[in-house]
Amino acid sequence: MLFGALEAGGTKMVCAVGRADGTIIDQISIPTRTPEETIPEIIAYFKRKDIKALGIGAFGPVNVNKGTKQYGYILDTPKLAWKYFDLLGTIQKELNIPIGLDTDVNGSCLGELTFGSAKGLNNVVYITIGTGVGVGIAVNGKLVHGMLHPEAGHILLRKEEQDDFEGNCPYHKCCLEGLAAGPAIERRYGKKAVELKDKKEVWELESDYIAQAIMTYILTVSPQRIILGGGVMHQEQLFSLIRKKVLNLLAGYIKTPELESMDTYIVPSVLNDNQGIMGCIQLAVEELKELGKL
Amino acid sequence: MLFGALEAGGTKMVCAVGRADGTIIDQISIPTRTPEETIPEIIAYFKRKDIKALGIGAFGPVNVNKGTKQYGYILDTPKLAWKYFDLLGTIQKELNIPIGLDTDVNGSCLGELTFGSAKGLNNVVYITIGTGVGVGIAVNGKLVHGMLHPEAGHILLRKEEQDDFEGNCPYHKCCLEGLAAGPAIERRYGKKAVELKDKKEVWELESDYIAQAIMTYILTVSPQRIILGGGVMHQEQLFSLIRKKVLNLLAGYIKTPELESMDTYIVPSVLNDNQGIMGCIQLAVEELKELGKL
């Protein structure tokens, strides 16, 4: 049985077909333009495939609350062409198959829970640090939905003393994204992160901010594991710095077996940047299960 | 049918008997000394009552993960006599009835979900600000357990410019508890919070810190409502300040119907400080239900 997966991002739409075990057997990428241009291409791709259900991981904000009127709509996004666009409904009308939906980062978190670094766990935080910072969270085995969905890339941080960069989040200046996403690094140092690999102070500061955020996530949702992905985290030297700094910040306040083994507590993804699309496959699988069709 | 409720706090043990609708029909308070002195009194109280199950809301850290070896144990607490004490097991051996257990603040959160300001909701944050700061969290209708349980009173905050108090959390100095709990207010101004009622700057600063924390909780677990309780929150002027400042901090990044109606989004408890003990009754009820005995 085949499943469709759509990772709907702000710059590209990744469409794939795969199996319930996470195997991806076909994949294309379509640039994200307006819905009028992009959606027909997506529909045409999936119509040619014999898929039984589709899973969508969408850029946010997106309404993920089933049973509400705007379920599946993109909400108040700065990408104006997509503002209040009925993403799920428009695709469902054409494909006429069950569709599961969540945020892109919750999708990645589900990918990790099902196939990756968090297999078998119930409480997990997945953080992607790239052009922005996205955070997917699972609690008691379920992806977190509430009033909306987690937007924890925007939590406020303390500016480190040595940092005179003002922060570049247009909403909050010095939130995690404003201080630690790729564009913040680039503006602070005038070079791309990848060109700064050997500059020790860059990764000291970057790991300070990421550790601050992780401390907050630990104290709030008590994850059993934290998975870091995204372009910035390809700088592997970050992991040991982050692990050390998280323990320093917690200062012994919480004692658990997990925190005694930081190398398995704060980890990279093992899915080769496929966690998002594999999570979408799982969203499709879970939707079919929920309908009693699997 | 009667249920027992035990709010196990660091200074007192509140024991009560009530009905499934939350009615409390009897209640006593026992000072918390050592387990050897205190536990027999608790057991004697409940043995005299015809209760079918007991719910315990315990001071933390406490193991709340069913199925683990130390489920129901108090963990590494500064109250040395209680360190690694088998709270649940010791009481269960004597009473021989089903016992539900959670942290005191998760218990209060459950009280609000079942009987109080959060009735009918699924995602709720309950914050108590008194001698410490405790945070109970429900996600998808379930209290949050993970590696441990939420300890979100200790998230790091940004020091406000006008504040030269160093913070008095022994672990983190300037976390929420270290900056905003009752003892922090008392040490900063040399007077108890209740004596500072008319000092506008006290509540401006206090609401700055509480708003910072609430912003983080909103972005992380996306609660549908936030309930504030505890001694410090008896200063009712705080509510309107906090509501305004949370919106300022979010800066329009999240738009939801809930945030358009802040008076019903950030609210006081309506249970007259009985949310904790009523939550314990509900813990007992849920334990019986889980066992198929109700």
Side-chain angles (χ1 to χ4, degrees):
Chain A
M1 188 181 293
L2 297 179
F3 300 89
L6 167 61
E7 222 185 338
T11 54
K12 62 181 178 173
M13 298 280 173
V14 179
C15 304
V17 172
R19 297 205 179 85
D21 65 359
T23 320
I24 297 161
I25 57 176
D26 188 66
Q27 182 167 323
I28 61 161
S29 177
I30 300 167
T32 304
R33 287 160 292 159
T34 65
E36 292 68 32
E37 295 169 287
T38 312
I39 295 292
E41 291 187 48
I42 293 170
I43 289 168
Y45 173 79
F46 286 117
K47 273 198 172 166
R48 290 195 298 273
K49 311 288 176 185
D50 181 31
I51 55 172
K52 293 286 175 250
L54 174 68
I56 304 177
F59 66 84
V62 53
N63 184 328
V64 291
N65 289 320
K66 270 192 187 180
T68 59
K69 221 171 124 183
Q70 293 193 319
Y71 174 59
Y73 279 59
I74 300 293
L75 299 174
D76 192 5
T77 171
K79 298 175 220 312
L80 295 182
W82 295 83
K83 200 165 162 168
Y84 296 107
F85 175 68
D86 181 6
L87 179 66
L88 186 143
T90 308
I91 297 175
Q92 193 152 40
K93 224 169 84 181
E94 291 294 327
L95 296 185
N96 206 19
I97 53 172
I99 302 183
L101 171 115
D102 217 305
T103 64
D104 44 8
V105 273
N106 263 350
S108 294
C109 188
L110 182 63
E112 296 291 349
L113 274 170
T114 315
F115 308 111
S117 293
K119 225 168 147 172
L121 301 179
N122 291 312
N123 284 49
V124 169
V125 172
Y126 170 85
I127 311 168
T128 176
I129 306 176
T131 51
V133 178
V135 181
I137 305 179
V139 167
N140 299 331
K142 297 271 178 201
L143 298 169
V144 173
H145 302 162
M147 173 174 75
L148 187 67
H149 44 69
E151 282 286 350
H154 287 266
I155 63 169
L156 298 179
L157 300 183
R158 284 184 190 169
K159 275 282 283 283
E160 297 291 334
E161 258 175 44
Q162 73 271 33
D163 185 17
D164 53 18
F165 177 57
E166 57 170 3
N168 66 349
C169 171
Y171 295 93
H172 317 112
K173 291 266 182 202
C174 298
C175 62
L176 172 60
E177 180 168 303
L179 288 170
I185 299 175
E186 195 176 335
R187 276 196 50 199
R188 185 185 287 114
Y189 301 103
K191 282 183 188 177
K192 282 194 185 297
V194 71
E195 299 171 78
L196 295 160
K197 194 173 171 50
D198 300 322
K199 285 243 169 212
K200 203 169 162 249
E201 70 270 26
V202 173
W203 310 110
E204 281 292 336
L205 185 65
E206 182 71 8
S207 57
D208 281 336
Y209 289 133
I210 298 170
Q212 275 192 39
I214 288 179
M215 181 201 184
T216 289
Y217 305 148
I218 291 175
L219 293 172
T220 309
V221 292
S222 207
Q224 298 161 298
R225 187 163 292 155
I226 291 160
I227 300 157
L228 287 157
V232 171
M233 292 310 302
H234 289 159
Q235 301 293 326
E236 290 174 14
Q237 68 273 31
L238 280 170
F239 281 91
S240 61
L241 292 169
I242 292 168
R243 290 178 186 125
K244 191 182 70 188
K245 290 176 184 188
V246 166
L247 284 182
N248 285 347
L249 287 172
L250 286 171
Y253 179 68
I254 288 187
K255 295 194 181 73
T256 64
E258 287 88 344
L259 293 177
E260 279 170 24
S261 156
M262 289 298 277
D263 288 356
T264 56
Y265 187 61
I266 296 178
V267 300
S269 174
V270 292
L271 298 175
N272 302 315
D273 293 330
N274 284 326
Q275 54 272 30
I277 204 75
M278 292 169 82
C280 292
I281 293 177
Q282 184 63 16
L283 284 172
V285 169
E286 292 191 359
E287 185 66 21
L288 264 197
K289 278 192 185 158
E290 219 177 289
L291 295 169
K293 295 183 178 174
L294 193 74
Chain B
M1 189 183 292
L2 296 179
F3 299 89
L6 167 60
E7 220 186 340
T11 55
K12 60 180 180 176
M13 299 279 176
V14 178
C15 305
V17 173
R19 299 207 177 84
D21 65 0
T23 320
I24 299 162
I25 58 177
D26 189 65
Q27 182 168 324
I28 62 162
S29 176
I30 299 166
T32 304
R33 286 159 294 158
T34 64
E36 293 69 30
E37 294 168 288
T38 311
I39 295 293
E41 291 186 49
I42 293 169
I43 288 167
Y45 173 79
F46 287 117
K47 274 198 171 165
R48 290 194 300 271
K49 311 288 177 185
D50 181 30
I51 54 172
K52 293 290 174 247
L54 175 66
I56 303 176
F59 66 85
V62 54
N63 184 327
V64 290
N65 289 320
K66 271 190 184 179
T68 58
K69 221 171 124 183
Q70 293 192 320
Y71 174 58
Y73 279 60
I74 301 292
L75 299 173
D76 191 4
T77 170
K79 299 174 219 311
L80 295 181
W82 294 84
K83 200 167 164 167
Y84 297 106
F85 175 68
D86 181 6
L87 179 66
L88 187 144
T90 308
I91 296 175
Q92 193 151 42
K93 223 169 85 181
E94 292 294 327
L95 296 184
N96 206 20
I97 52 173
I99 301 183
L101 172 115
D102 217 304
T103 64
D104 45 7
V105 273
N106 264 350
S108 293
C109 189
L110 182 63
E112 296 291 350
L113 274 171
T114 316
F115 308 111
S117 294
K119 225 167 147 174
L121 301 178
N122 291 312
N123 284 49
V124 169
V125 171
Y126 171 86
I127 311 168
T128 176
I129 306 175
T131 51
V133 178
V135 181
I137 305 179
V139 167
N140 300 331
K142 296 271 179 201
L143 298 168
V144 173
H145 301 162
M147 172 174 75
L148 187 67
H149 44 68
E151 282 286 352
H154 287 265
I155 62 169
L156 298 181
L157 299 184
R158 284 182 190 171
K159 275 283 282 284
E160 297 292 335
E161 259 176 42
Q162 72 272 33
D163 184 18
D164 53 16
F165 178 56
E166 58 170 2
N168 66 350
C169 171
Y171 295 93
H172 316 115
K173 292 267 184 201
C174 297
C175 61
L176 173 61
E177 180 167 305
L179 288 170
I185 299 174
E186 195 176 334
R187 277 196 48 201
R188 185 184 286 115
Y189 301 103
K191 280 182 187 176
K192 283 193 185 300
V194 70
E195 299 170 79
L196 295 160
K197 193 172 173 46
D198 300 322
K199 285 242 172 213
K200 203 170 160 248
E201 69 270 26
V202 173
W203 310 109
E204 281 291 337
L205 184 66
E206 182 71 9
S207 57
D208 281 336
Y209 290 133
I210 298 170
Q212 275 191 40
I214 288 179
M215 181 201 184
T216 290
Y217 306 148
I218 290 175
L219 293 171
T220 310
V221 291
S222 207
Q224 299 161 297
R225 188 162 292 157
I226 292 161
I227 300 157
L228 288 156
V232 171
M233 292 310 302
H234 289 159
Q235 302 293 326
E236 289 173 16
Q237 68 272 32
L238 279 170
F239 282 90
S240 59
L241 293 169
I242 292 167
R243 290 179 188 127
K244 190 182 69 188
K245 290 176 182 186
V246 166
L247 284 182
N248 285 347
L249 287 171
L250 286 171
Y253 179 68
I254 288 186
K255 295 194 181 73
T256 64
E258 287 87 344
L259 293 178
E260 280 170 25
S261 156
M262 290 298 276
D263 288 357
T264 57
Y265 186 61
I266 297 179
V267 300
S269 174
V270 291
L271 298 174
N272 301 315
D273 292 333
N274 283 326
Q275 54 271 31
I277 204 75
M278 291 170 84
C280 292
I281 292 177
Q282 184 63 15
L283 284 172
V285 169
E286 292 191 358
E287 184 67 21
L288 264 197
K289 278 191 185 158
E290 218 177 290
L291 295 169
K293 295 183 178 175
L294 192 73

